[in-house]
């Protein structure tokens, strides 16, 4: 809550409004977002032209996960003043942050048109924000186009070069990914995120001098923690590739420790919330809906992160009748809204939330969210959000015909793979501390067992190691469970052209290989806290 807001009085704004805005800023910086939101709402009601209030309202909504409060307000002001590109930009940013990418893109494109017409400054950053929304919506070609436009405006925009590198990496064009990562280093030789990409796709790039420079930067206080995290993981990759596991783990441990410092996370709080969530949502299983089943059948892929969920999705999504949905956040948003309605400060009666009418409403919300993703007339869509295992009762209630695939993997291999992965998305906060990681794995196992007791026929367990040993047999098992005929494309899944934005992007671009099965054993002597935590979970 330490974000600095400019308080300079603006022309045309009364001293009273300015003082009230300063009060809202004070509430925000003091960690009182609710009071700040209330004050900003009052300012907007009295002075609809006060743009700083809209901006701060959007910032608070993004940081507190309360987009539903700010989005309607921003939509109203945009509707009232369609030429206001500034406020439209706030709305687009908030929609994108909330995962509403198609609508965000509409507003971004309108803002681009207005900014180009008015020759506004900051157009390159606007193009970058638009590209990020296109990438997240599964349209890398449009993202690349916007990023190239941004570079055309500012050929020293390091972020644009990096995003081009990561986009090309996501679609499997590693030559271009390498090229753009290196071009970003022309303007910033120590640009941490680009070095991180290169540590994955071109480790020969790193000379002894560069490694020494990066090593010194990891401990340099003048460098941001985020950059030091990326540089630490970069060195982990480099030293592991050369077999220097002692140095590899040293930097891996540094990187995880630094990352953990940036996260406000409590395993006990998370475990209590998710236990209450699964028990609450399981009540939807008793709700009967008379509405016809939707024509689209979700294939829900869950499991621990790094358990093979991306590989399984790539195999299934190679089928001619399946659309790859990727990591769809809608189900978690629905679950959170249900829990908020029931357990908020002004709670609703459980029966007023868990009923057939709401079941139909939530199904419509989800169906609308995936409608823009469906490719042609395909009947199935994958939803590969690993931690949706907390919501399986709700998902099965919404879509009785849904197929649930649970990906399993050796517990040490899974958890260490989490620990050695620098996740870019939220939701993996447990993975940066060995003890917390072991405890979360226990919570995951406990939750899967809970659902397999309630809906055993609806869940197919797939063991990652068996896919590696006999991929065709396991692929046939998966397709049979999903009521899909054999498709030769599933055999050569690594040739399927689609965006893969998860940490498994490199693995699913190659035929199946076995070298990653026991990497953790090289670090066994360093993993005592994790081994102990997993042992306790098995007792």
């Amino acid at each position: 809550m330490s974000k600095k807001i400019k308080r300079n009085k603006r022309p045309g704004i009364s001293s009273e409004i300015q003082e009230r805005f300063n009060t809202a800023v004070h509430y925000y910086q003091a960690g009182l977002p609710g009071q700040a939101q209330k004050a900003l709402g009052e300012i907007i009601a009295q002075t609809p032209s006060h743009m700083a209030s809209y901006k701060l309202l959007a910032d608070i909504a993004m940081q507190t996960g309360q987009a539903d409060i700010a989005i309607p307000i921003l939509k109203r002001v945009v509707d009232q003043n369609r030429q206001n590109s500034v406020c439209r930009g706030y709305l687009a940013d908030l929609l994108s942050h909330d995962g509403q990418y198609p609508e965000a893109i509409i507003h971004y494109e309108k803002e681009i048109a207005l900014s180009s017409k008015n020759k506004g400054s900051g157009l390159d950053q606007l193009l970058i924000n638009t590209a990020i929304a296109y990438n997240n919506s599964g349209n890398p070609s449009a993202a690349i186009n916007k990023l190239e436009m941004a570079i055309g405006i500012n050929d020293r925009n390091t972020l644009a070069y990096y995003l081009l590198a990561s986009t090309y990496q996501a679609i499997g064009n590693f030559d271009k990914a390498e090229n753009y990562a290196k071009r970003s280093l022309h303007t910033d030789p120590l640009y941490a995120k680009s070095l991180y990409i290169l540590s994955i796709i071109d480790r020969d790039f790193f000379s002894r001098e560069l490694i020494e420079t990066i090593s010194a930067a990891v401990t340099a206080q003048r460098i941001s923690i985020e950059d030091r995290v990326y540089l630490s993981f970069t060195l982990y990759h480099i030293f592991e590739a050369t077999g220097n596991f002692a140095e590899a783990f040293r930097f891996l441990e540094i990187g995880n420790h630094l990352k953990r410092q940036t996260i406000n996370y409590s395993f006990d709080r998370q475990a209590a919330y998710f236990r209450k969530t699964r028990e609450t949502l399981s009540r939807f299983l008793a709700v009967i809906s008379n509405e016809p089943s939707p024509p689209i059948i979700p294939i829900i892929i869950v499991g621990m992160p790094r358990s093979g969920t991306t590989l399984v999705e790539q195999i299934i999504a190679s089928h001619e009748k399946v659309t790859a949905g990727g990591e769809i956040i809608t189900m978690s948003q629905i679950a959170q809204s249900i829990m908020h309605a029931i357990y908020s400060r002004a709670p609703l009666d459980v029966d007023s939330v868990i009923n057939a009418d709401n079941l139909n409403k939530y199904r419509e919300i989800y169906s609308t969210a995936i409608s823009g993703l469906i490719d042609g007339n395909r009947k199935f869509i994958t939803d590969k959000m690993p931690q949706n295992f907390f919501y399986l009762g709700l998902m099965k209630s919404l879509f009785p015909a849904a197929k649930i695939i649970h990906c399993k993997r050796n517990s040490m291999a899974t958890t260490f793979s989490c620990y050695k992965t620098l996740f870019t998305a939220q939701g993996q906060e447990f993975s940066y501390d060995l003890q917390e990681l072991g405890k979360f794995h226990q919570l995951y196992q406990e939750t899967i067992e809970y659902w397999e007791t309630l809906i055993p026929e609806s869940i197919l367990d797939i063991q990652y190691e068996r896919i590696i040993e006999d991929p065709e047999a396991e692929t046939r098992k998966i397709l049979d469970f999903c009521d899909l005929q054999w498709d030769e494309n599933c055999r050569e899944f690594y040739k399927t052209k689609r965006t893969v934005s998860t940490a498994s992007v490199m693995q699913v671009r190659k035929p199946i290989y076995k070298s990653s099965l026991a990497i953790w054993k090289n670090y066994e002597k360093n993993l005592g806290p994790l081994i102990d935590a997993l042992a306790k979970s098995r007792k």
Side-chain angles (χ1 to χ4, degrees), residues 21 29 49 191 255 353 374 383 436 491 516 536:
F21 178 70
Q29 294 179 335
S49 61
Y191 194 72
V353 177
I374 302 298
D383 183 338
E436 290 173 338
R491 191 197 306 273
S516 65
K536 290 178 183 177

Side-chain angles (χ1 to χ4, degrees), residues 402-416:
K403 309 296 182 179
I404 301 172
I405 298 175
H406 166 223
C407 297
K408 302 171 63 177
R409 187 181 180 188
N410 172 275
S411 60
M412 280 300 299
T414 303
T415 50
F416 179 71

Side-chain angles (χ1 to χ4, degrees), residues 80-377:
Q80 291 166 4
N81 187 358
R82 297 179 183 276
Q83 299 305 307
N84 190 325
S85 65
V86 174
C87 209
R88 188 183 294 280
Y90 300 156
L91 174 59
D93 289 343
L94 187 51
L95 288 166
S96 183
H97 182 85
D98 195 46
Q100 301 182 48
Y101 303 117
E103 189 174 357
I105 287 168
I106 292 171
H107 289 288
Y108 275 134
E109 291 288 9
K110 289 180 179 177
E111 190 190 1
I112 289 170
L114 287 169
S115 296
S116 300
K117 178 181 177 181
N118 300 330
K119 297 182 180 179
S121 61
L123 182 55
D124 56 336
Q125 184 59 51
L126 173 58
L127 289 163
I128 286 173
N129 292 346
T130 309
I132 292 170
Y134 272 121
N135 257 333
N136 288 330
S137 67
N139 190 342
S141 297
I144 289 168
N145 175 260
K146 298 300 181 187
L147 292 169
E148 289 176 341
M149 290 172 64
I151 288 173
I153 295 170
N154 178 7
D155 64 1
R156 295 184 62 79
N157 193 314
T158 308
L159 177 59
Y161 285 118
Y162 160 71
L163 289 172
L164 278 167
S166 62
T167 301
Y168 277 115
Q169 181 188 26
I171 61 177
N173 190 332
F174 300 126
D175 289 339
K176 285 194 173 182
E178 178 184 342
N179 175 56
Y180 279 111
K182 289 177 178 178
R183 288 179 68 179
S184 74
L185 299 178
H186 292 166
T187 55
D188 185 349
L190 207 60
Y191 194 72
K193 292 181 179 179
S194 292
L195 290 169
Y196 177 74
I197 286 180
L198 289 170
S199 74
I200 297 171
I201 62 179
D202 183 20
R203 288 163 187 159
D204 292 337
F205 173 76
F206 295 87
S207 65
R208 179 179 296 178
E209 292 74 18
L210 180 56
I211 292 172
E212 290 174 354
T213 300
I214 296 172
S215 299
V218 165
T219 57
Q221 297 299 314
R222 69 181 184 280
I223 295 177
S224 71
I225 287 184
E226 181 185 29
D227 283 350
R228 289 160 63 196
V229 168
Y230 273 93
L231 294 175
S232 297
F233 277 83
T234 294
L235 292 173
Y236 157 71
H237 286 141
I238 293 168
F239 284 116
E240 182 176 83
T242 60
N244 189 340
F245 300 115
E247 281 296 276
F249 190 82
R250 183 168 77 89
F251 285 105
L252 181 60
E253 191 171 40
I254 291 172
N256 276 285
H257 179 69
L258 289 169
K259 180 70 174 179
R260 184 64 182 84
Q261 290 180 32
T262 68
I263 297 171
N264 179 19
Y265 171 74
S266 164
F267 170 77
D268 291 338
R269 185 170 60 241
Q270 182 185 48
Y273 172 77
F274 279 125
R275 285 176 179 134
K276 180 181 285 188
T277 298
R278 75 189 184 207
E279 291 165 8
T280 301
L281 299 183
S282 66
R283 297 181 62 167
F284 272 102
L285 292 169
V287 177
I288 305 299
S289 171
N290 294 322
E291 293 290 322
S293 298
I296 301 299
I297 299 176
I299 299 175
I300 301 159
I301 304 169
V302 298
M304 277 286 291
R306 311 298 295 151
S307 63
T309 54
T310 302
L311 174 60
V312 167
E313 182 185 38
Q314 183 77 353
I315 291 170
I316 299 172
S318 300
H319 197 284
E320 62 178 0
K321 293 185 179 180
V322 180
T323 294
E327 296 189 341
I328 302 172
I329 65 173
T330 308
M331 196 58 64
S332 64
Q333 292 175 328
I334 292 172
Q336 289 166 20
S337 69
I338 293 169
M339 295 299 290
H340 179 74
I342 296 175
Y343 298 106
S344 64
R345 291 182 179 177
L348 298 174
D349 178 71
V350 174
D351 291 337
S352 71
V353 177
I354 300 179
N355 55 47
D357 288 341
N358 277 335
L359 191 66
N360 296 331
K361 180 185 76 173
Y362 298 137
R363 182 187 295 121
E364 182 62 27
I365 290 172
Y366 185 89
S367 298
T368 300
I370 65 174
S371 62
L373 303 175
I374 302 298
D375 188 357
N377 296 317

Side-chain angles (χ1 to χ4, degrees), residues 311-535:
L311 174 60
V312 167
E313 182 185 38
Q314 183 77 353
I315 291 170
I316 299 172
S318 300
H319 197 284
E320 62 178 0
K321 293 185 179 180
V322 180
T323 294
E327 296 189 341
I328 302 172
I329 65 173
T330 308
M331 196 58 64
S332 64
Q333 292 175 328
I334 292 172
Q336 289 166 20
S337 69
I338 293 169
M339 295 299 290
H340 179 74
I342 296 175
Y343 298 106
S344 64
R345 291 182 179 177
L348 298 174
D349 178 71
V350 174
D351 291 337
S352 71
V353 177
I354 300 179
N355 55 47
D357 288 341
N358 277 335
L359 191 66
N360 296 331
K361 180 185 76 173
Y362 298 137
R363 182 187 295 121
E364 182 62 27
I365 290 172
Y366 185 89
S367 298
T368 300
I370 65 174
S371 62
L373 303 175
I374 302 298
D375 188 357
N377 296 317
R378 299 184 180 189
K379 183 179 179 181
F380 297 85
I381 182 169
T382 56
D383 183 338
K384 187 210 74 73
M385 183 63 78
Q387 288 163 239
N388 272 347
F389 60 75
F390 287 116
Y391 316 126
L392 292 183
L394 174 62
M395 300 178 84
K396 190 63 179 178
S397 302
L398 297 180
F399 297 91
K403 309 296 182 179
I404 301 172
I405 298 175
H406 166 223
C407 297
K408 302 171 63 177
R409 187 181 180 188
N410 172 275
S411 60
M412 280 300 299
T414 303
T415 50
F416 179 71
S417 189
C418 288
Y419 189 69
K420 75 184 187 71
T421 299
L422 179 53
F423 294 100
T424 56
Q426 294 181 341
Q428 281 69 241
E429 291 81 5
F430 56 85
S431 67
Y432 303 106
D433 177 271
L434 292 175
Q435 285 187 325
E436 290 173 338
L437 183 51
K439 289 179 180 179
F440 185 86
H441 191 273
Q442 178 184 9
L443 177 64
Y444 142 75
Q445 287 183 313
E446 171 191 312
T447 303
I448 288 295
E449 290 169 5
Y450 178 86
W451 294 121
E452 288 185 332
T453 299
L454 294 178
I455 49 174
E457 296 84 8
S458 302
I459 302 173
L460 174 68
D461 287 340
I462 289 294
Q463 190 74 33
Y464 176 79
E465 288 81 4
R466 290 178 190 157
I467 296 178
I468 302 302
E469 293 296 332
D470 194 348
E472 182 168 332
E474 294 303 299
T475 298
R476 289 185 182 277
K477 184 191 297 185
I478 293 169
L479 296 182
D480 287 345
F481 177 74
C482 295
D483 298 323
L484 290 166
Q485 299 294 318
W486 175 258
D487 186 334
E488 282 296 320
N489 291 319
C490 296
R491 191 197 306 273
E492 296 183 320
F493 62 87
Y494 49 89
K495 295 182 179 179
T496 299
K497 299 298 182 183
R498 72 178 186 92
T499 302
V500 178
S501 57
T502 71
S504 301
V505 59
M506 300 297 288
Q507 292 92 320
V508 299
R509 298 301 182 193
K510 303 175 183 177
I512 284 175
Y513 56 93
K514 303 178 182 181
S515 59
S516 65
L517 287 177
I519 288 177
W520 68 271
K521 291 185 177 179
N522 295 306
Y523 305 97
E524 189 168 5
K525 66 180 182 180
N526 304 109
L527 301 177
L530 176 59
I531 294 170
D532 291 344
L534 291 175

